[in-house]
Amino acid sequence: MSGLGGFYRSSIGKKIVVGATGILLVGFLFVHMLGNLQAFEGPGEHGEPAKLTQYGELLRTEMAVLWAMRLGLLGLLILHVVTTVRLVAENRAARPERYAMARSMKTTFAARTMIFGGVALFAYVVYHILHLTVGAAHRDLFREGDVYGNVVRSFSNPVIATVYVAAMIPVFFHLRHGIQSALRTLGVDHPEHLARIQTAGGALAALITLGFMAVPLGVLFNLIRL
Amino acid sequence: MKLDAKIPGGPIETKWDRHRFDMKLVNPANKRKFSVIVVGTGLAGASAAASMAELGYQVSAFCFQDSPRRAHSIAAQGGINAAKNYQNDGDSIWRLFYDTVKGGDYRAREANVYRLAQSSVQIIDQCVAQGVPFAREYGGLLANRSFGGAQVSRTFYARGQTGQQLLLGAYQALARQIGLGRVTMHPRTEMLDLVVIDGQARGIVVRDLVSGEIRSHAADVVVLATGGYSNIFYLSTNAKGCNVTAIWRAHRRGAGFANPCFTQIHPTCIPVAGEHQSKLTLMSESLRNDGRIWVPKKAGDSRPADQIPDAERDYYLERRYPAFGNLVPRDVASRAAKERCDSGFGVGPTKLGVFLDFRDAIKRLSEPVVADRYGNLFQMYEQITGENPYKVPMRIFPAPHYTMGGLWVDYNLMSTIPGLHVLGEANFSDHGANRLGASALMQGLADGYFVIPYTIGHYLASTPIPKVDTGHAEFKRVEAEANARNRSLLAIKGKRTVDSFHRELGRLMWDNVGMSRNRADLEKTLARVPELREEFWKNVAVEGSADDLNQSLEKAGRVADFFEFGELITRDALERAESCGGHFREEFQTEDGEARRDDENFCHSTVWEWQGPGKAPVQHREPLSFEYVKPSQRSYK
Amino acid sequence: MRLTLKVWRQAGRSARGGFQEVVAEGVSPDSSFLEMLDGVNEKLEAEGREPIAFDHDCREGICGSCSLMINGHPHGPDDGVTTCQLHMRRYRDGDTIVIEPWRARAFPVIKDLIVDRSAFDRIIQVGGFVSVNTGSAQDANNLPIGKEVADLAMDTAACIGCGACVAACPNASAMLFVSAKAAHLGRLPQGQPERHARTRRMVAQMDTEGFGGCTNHGECEAACPKEIKMWNISFLNRDFLQASLSERSASQRAGDG
């Protein structure tokens, strides 16, 4: 066993891949969340497009760069998901016969529901892309290029806004366990650092989750309007 | 039976060096043509198997546990002695040699003990190189502590788990050789008999404890490192699986058994709590460094310990032995505790216990320092007794712990059967009538790492060994015997469990052949053991089959051998009409109750030769001569 | 005390197992859990039934032989002890206790409550050692090792190889066991020359044996009778990453040569 293939075939290698891609995806989420918050800048004045829409245009200045980023993200996501699926299969196979009575001592809800959170998150991402990137989910509400308008129109519908807010709950749990778990997998082994990382990981998870929830809630409560 | 100890000539300091030069060597290319069987994977067995495999021999190793890492050496707590003199407190090879001979009450072979003291120095080096995490000072150098029977600090330790760490070092060295394909490991495999062909030990018959299969293994030479026989007392500090079978079976095939009555009763064990008890737990004797042993001055005083003022406490070891105080050797400490309890001063619910008190140590050193030194022992004590030793003094009582007796071996560690070598606690060689604390680990590793790798080569290079395989008729005969024995145990279908017989035998041995012995009791026991054995063979209940994993059958075979062995140990104790070390005959004591040796008549090792079932064994003697350490009345006052 | 035991009975490796209900009567609160089982076995034998097979030896918490999943907890409910150190005063008269073997693909059941843990031995055999032959050591004090490092090494060297970490882990992962050895030798200077090779080989063997991977639940740490900490797993992860990188550069250098 040697080289990259060997690394990836090993259990720890796969864990490191999941952890590293996870951390990069968290980085993307954080930036995405910051970008979203520009919705609070409002619809734009003096005939200018909204800040959020401008930001959308900025991203589209060089389509090649955008597609490179999209493909990169897609690659990360696929690697993250496919590797996780393989790990989960291996972990399940490692205990073919279950205990009649098993009690957990230390594990958390977040840790035990990682895979469910991941699946929910994946479903949400597909819907989110179809909704606000492709525009296929709710054609009546979508206008190509009007990022701000699409957001406000969609979230004025309480059902859509609720879906978006609710989707952030699994995101929170997934990140709360995921961020610190990834860092441990990547080798943070000092007990004191570990404790700090667990706290910081939880805080970051909460920050990202609240940041994302802020926009649909803002629309719903009329803080953001057309 | 001829006893030739083969002690090299010349001054004691150079005997081993000269012997190593005089011994024949096996050419490196020829080593792989020789096969070695090692039974037991404790400190002695694992270190021997690994070291011989490193040299190039083909080694097969056997243990009854599920992994070689579980041998009972792992439970040794306190430490390992070595004459490093790192503390600059006057230690030397000579002093370790002197202390060991004196501690053994002048019943050990001087030349062996000197070699042991010499090897001790290398053992520490070897273990550190393997990554054994010994305790260290802040400067990064090795730490030492003092131990019973010595006035220097020469004991190296790894918290309260020294045996574990040394065994894991040897186990890892063994694992490395298994991984390299030079050792074939057979776990969950128990030796049932030795195969002797044309006067040479040529193999063993074993039972695969999972499949039940009886099979043979042949080799050019056999090494037994199967530990001691304290479990004859049923309640002892040994692991439940420890047994006498391997060395007993070898004895029945012609190996002389030396000094079986030299058994060590350890002074600091947790007292028996009730009938359900299956074993006794040792508290490391290092506790005596800081703990003070006492009983109330008033017999039957049942006040809680903290309400008994100092003036009404009898620190009897400090009173009787001012020079060594609580650090007197084990046999002395055990007997002193028994004397106090027999006189009615015992403490605890059964009155069979004395206090080991850390009140003063906690005052002097602070609780965290005491916790750092003994934390895990305190925790263990609390787990078992439900009492917190930081607040309430521990209660301790002596328990069978180690057996100095074993198969007789010469200077090369070879028994009276050519080709059969015996290491560690299984042999009789180095501790005389009493072993000093932290010396068992030293002897096991000295035998395995630094003696047998040399002497085995000499035997192989100087002895014609014809080719033999397991198809030989003798293997088939011994296999058939082993099979028949198991079948007959299963066929008895009696009413009493193996454990109930073992408990009864143990009680009998403990009461009469335990901490103190007398002629009348020994004679009574000598008559009682065969009766009990007969009942065992008529009325034992062993369930299950021989062709399957069957723990009752395993136990039954071991207890059956203890029944035979019980007679020998009693006979030996009866024969030795003196008190020495762990062997205390009530008839032979000084006015103040100390052991009185009889050097005129008993300055020898007694070696027993098997004569067949139901026949009295024949006694041989290896005279001991003390040229360097002159025997004197042992005094720790 | 009177207790109802639900014990896993399985005749052999490939036999189908199931729970058997046995009543333990007259149990002393001062007896250990294994002594309670001894009593049950004596009763079974007296009735002509086969006793329950379970691994045990030293009965003082150090050999690592005893196992048992007791009411869903490896080595029972107490922290930092093995089954043989668990005492019956922990239970109340009338309690029901479910006793199962360790369950993992890499630890197949041999009989009743006995499992085959030889996978742990094979992991050590591929690298869990320092390659030093007998006789080739320098004086022990020529290699000073700071007390802190020695203490950290000792913390992990204390592993008894019982397998409770695997039993407790939702993924039946052996990472705590492997990391304990990797950290014991990897933290000491003696272990440095082979550090990367050791880590790579032990991890590869661990995977071959069919243990699962770590998902940082922390169950192993909670179950460990020697209280070995999970940060050692992070140590192993980092070591493995470094080992994999160094292996690549080593093979590239070899290629250049």
Short mmCIF file of all heavy atoms in Angstrom, two decimals, chain B residues 363-386:
data_model
loop_
_atom_site.label_atom_id
_atom_site.label_comp_id
_atom_site.label_asym_id
_atom_site.label_seq_id
_atom_site.Cartn_x
_atom_site.Cartn_y
_atom_site.Cartn_z
N LYS B 363 0.42 13.77 56.03
CA LYS B 363 0.78 14.97 56.78
C LYS B 363 2.14 15.50 56.33
O LYS B 363 2.34 16.68 56.15
CB LYS B 363 0.81 14.65 58.28
CG LYS B 363 0.10 15.70 59.14
CD LYS B 363 0.18 15.36 60.63
CE LYS B 363 -0.79 14.26 61.04
NZ LYS B 363 -0.56 13.78 62.41
N ARG B 364 3.07 14.57 56.15
CA ARG B 364 4.45 14.95 55.84
C ARG B 364 4.59 15.38 54.37
O ARG B 364 5.29 16.33 54.04
CB ARG B 364 5.36 13.76 56.12
CG ARG B 364 6.85 13.99 55.91
CD ARG B 364 7.60 12.77 56.35
NE ARG B 364 6.85 11.64 55.82
CZ ARG B 364 7.32 10.62 55.12
NH1 ARG B 364 8.45 10.50 54.91
NH2 ARG B 364 6.59 9.67 54.64
N LEU B 365 3.93 14.67 53.46
CA LEU B 365 4.18 14.88 52.04
C LEU B 365 3.07 15.63 51.32
O LEU B 365 3.27 16.09 50.20
CB LEU B 365 4.33 13.52 51.34
CG LEU B 365 5.46 12.62 51.83
CD1 LEU B 365 5.25 11.21 51.31
CD2 LEU B 365 6.80 13.14 51.36
N SER B 366 1.89 15.70 51.89
CA SER B 366 0.65 16.24 51.30
C SER B 366 -0.04 15.15 50.48
O SER B 366 0.61 14.24 49.96
CB SER B 366 0.89 17.45 50.40
OG SER B 366 1.27 17.04 49.11
N GLU B 367 -1.34 15.30 50.41
CA GLU B 367 -2.15 14.28 49.74
C GLU B 367 -1.79 14.12 48.25
O GLU B 367 -1.69 12.99 47.77
CB GLU B 367 -3.64 14.60 49.93
CG GLU B 367 -4.53 13.44 49.51
CD GLU B 367 -5.97 13.59 49.97
OE1 GLU B 367 -6.19 13.90 51.15
OE2 GLU B 367 -6.86 13.36 49.15
N PRO B 368 -1.57 15.24 47.51
CA PRO B 368 -1.23 15.04 46.09
C PRO B 368 0.05 14.23 45.87
O PRO B 368 0.13 13.44 44.93
CB PRO B 368 -1.08 16.48 45.56
CG PRO B 368 -1.83 17.33 46.51
CD PRO B 368 -1.79 16.66 47.84
N VAL B 369 1.04 14.43 46.74
CA VAL B 369 2.28 13.68 46.56
C VAL B 369 2.03 12.19 46.80
O VAL B 369 2.49 11.32 46.04
CB VAL B 369 3.40 14.20 47.49
CG1 VAL B 369 4.63 13.32 47.43
CG2 VAL B 369 3.74 15.65 47.14
N VAL B 370 1.28 11.89 47.84
CA VAL B 370 0.95 10.49 48.12
C VAL B 370 0.13 9.92 46.96
O VAL B 370 0.36 8.80 46.51
CB VAL B 370 0.18 10.38 49.46
CG1 VAL B 370 -0.35 8.97 49.67
CG2 VAL B 370 1.11 10.76 50.62
N ALA B 371 -0.79 10.73 46.45
CA ALA B 371 -1.62 10.27 45.33
C ALA B 371 -0.76 10.00 44.10
O ALA B 371 -0.99 9.04 43.36
CB ALA B 371 -2.69 11.30 45.01
N ASP B 372 0.23 10.83 43.88
CA ASP B 372 1.11 10.65 42.72
C ASP B 372 1.86 9.33 42.83
O ASP B 372 2.06 8.63 41.85
CB ASP B 372 2.09 11.83 42.64
CG ASP B 372 2.86 11.81 41.33
OD1 ASP B 372 2.21 11.62 40.28
OD2 ASP B 372 4.09 11.95 41.36
N ARG B 373 2.29 9.00 44.06
CA ARG B 373 3.06 7.77 44.24
C ARG B 373 2.19 6.52 44.21
O ARG B 373 2.59 5.49 43.69
CB ARG B 373 3.80 7.81 45.58
CG ARG B 373 4.99 8.72 45.54
CD ARG B 373 5.81 8.61 46.81
NE ARG B 373 6.74 9.75 46.85
CZ ARG B 373 7.42 10.11 47.92
NH1 ARG B 373 7.30 9.43 49.04
NH2 ARG B 373 8.24 11.14 47.87
N TYR B 374 1.02 6.60 44.86
CA TYR B 374 0.26 5.36 45.09
C TYR B 374 -1.19 5.46 44.62
O TYR B 374 -1.99 4.58 44.96
CB TYR B 374 0.25 5.03 46.59
CG TYR B 374 1.62 5.04 47.22
CD1 TYR B 374 2.00 6.04 48.12
CD2 TYR B 374 2.55 4.05 46.92
CE1 TYR B 374 3.26 6.05 48.70
CE2 TYR B 374 3.82 4.05 47.49
CZ TYR B 374 4.16 5.06 48.38
OH TYR B 374 5.41 5.06 48.94
N GLY B 375 -1.50 6.52 43.85
CA GLY B 375 -2.90 6.79 43.51
C GLY B 375 -3.65 5.57 43.00
O GLY B 375 -4.75 5.27 43.47
N ASN B 376 -3.04 4.85 42.06
CA ASN B 376 -3.79 3.75 41.46
C ASN B 376 -4.02 2.61 42.46
O ASN B 376 -5.02 1.92 42.42
CB ASN B 376 -3.12 3.25 40.18
CG ASN B 376 -1.71 2.79 40.42
OD1 ASN B 376 -1.04 3.26 41.33
ND2 ASN B 376 -1.25 1.85 39.61
N LEU B 377 -3.08 2.45 43.40
CA LEU B 377 -3.25 1.40 44.41
C LEU B 377 -4.38 1.76 45.37
O LEU B 377 -5.19 0.93 45.75
CB LEU B 377 -1.95 1.22 45.20
CG LEU B 377 -0.75 0.75 44.37
CD1 LEU B 377 0.53 0.82 45.18
CD2 LEU B 377 -0.97 -0.66 43.88
N PHE B 378 -4.42 3.04 45.74
CA PHE B 378 -5.48 3.51 46.64
C PHE B 378 -6.84 3.32 45.99
O PHE B 378 -7.81 2.90 46.63
CB PHE B 378 -5.27 4.99 46.98
CG PHE B 378 -4.26 5.22 48.08
CD1 PHE B 378 -3.14 4.41 48.21
CD2 PHE B 378 -4.41 6.26 48.98
CE1 PHE B 378 -2.21 4.62 49.21
CE2 PHE B 378 -3.48 6.49 49.99
CZ PHE B 378 -2.37 5.67 50.10
N GLN B 379 -6.88 3.62 44.70
CA GLN B 379 -8.12 3.51 43.95
C GLN B 379 -8.57 2.04 43.90
O GLN B 379 -9.75 1.73 44.10
CB GLN B 379 -7.82 4.00 42.53
CG GLN B 379 -9.00 4.50 41.76
CD GLN B 379 -8.55 4.82 40.34
OE1 GLN B 379 -7.34 4.91 40.03
NE2 GLN B 379 -9.50 4.95 39.46
N MET B 380 -7.61 1.16 43.67
CA MET B 380 -7.90 -0.26 43.60
C MET B 380 -8.44 -0.75 44.94
O MET B 380 -9.41 -1.50 45.01
CB MET B 380 -6.59 -0.99 43.25
CG MET B 380 -6.71 -2.44 42.97
SD MET B 380 -5.18 -3.01 42.19
CE MET B 380 -4.21 -3.43 43.61
N TYR B 381 -7.79 -0.29 46.01
CA TYR B 381 -8.22 -0.70 47.34
C TYR B 381 -9.66 -0.27 47.59
O TYR B 381 -10.48 -1.04 48.09
CB TYR B 381 -7.29 -0.09 48.40
CG TYR B 381 -7.65 -0.47 49.82
CD1 TYR B 381 -7.17 -1.65 50.37
CD2 TYR B 381 -8.46 0.34 50.60
CE1 TYR B 381 -7.50 -2.01 51.67
CE2 TYR B 381 -8.80 -0.02 51.89
CZ TYR B 381 -8.32 -1.19 52.43
OH TYR B 381 -8.65 -1.54 53.70
N GLU B 382 -9.95 0.97 47.21
CA GLU B 382 -11.29 1.49 47.47
C GLU B 382 -12.34 0.74 46.65
O GLU B 382 -13.43 0.44 47.12
CB GLU B 382 -11.35 2.99 47.15
CG GLU B 382 -12.68 3.59 47.59
CD GLU B 382 -12.72 5.10 47.50
OE1 GLU B 382 -11.70 5.71 47.12
OE2 GLU B 382 -13.78 5.66 47.82
N GLN B 383 -11.97 0.40 45.41
CA GLN B 383 -12.89 -0.33 44.55
C GLN B 383 -13.27 -1.67 45.18
O GLN B 383 -14.42 -2.09 45.14
CB GLN B 383 -12.22 -0.55 43.18
CG GLN B 383 -13.11 -1.19 42.14
CD GLN B 383 -14.22 -0.25 41.69
OE1 GLN B 383 -14.05 0.97 41.68
NE2 GLN B 383 -15.36 -0.80 41.33
N ILE B 384 -12.28 -2.33 45.78
CA ILE B 384 -12.53 -3.67 46.32
C ILE B 384 -13.22 -3.62 47.68
O ILE B 384 -14.14 -4.38 47.95
CB ILE B 384 -11.21 -4.46 46.38
CG1 ILE B 384 -10.73 -4.74 44.95
CG2 ILE B 384 -11.37 -5.76 47.15
CD1 ILE B 384 -9.35 -5.31 44.86
N THR B 385 -12.77 -2.70 48.55
CA THR B 385 -13.27 -2.72 49.91
C THR B 385 -14.38 -1.71 50.17
O THR B 385 -15.10 -1.81 51.16
CB THR B 385 -12.15 -2.40 50.92
OG1 THR B 385 -11.69 -1.07 50.64
CG2 THR B 385 -10.99 -3.36 50.78
N GLY B 386 -14.49 -0.72 49.30
CA GLY B 386 -15.46 0.34 49.53
C GLY B 386 -14.99 1.34 50.58
O GLY B 386 -15.79 2.14 51.06
#
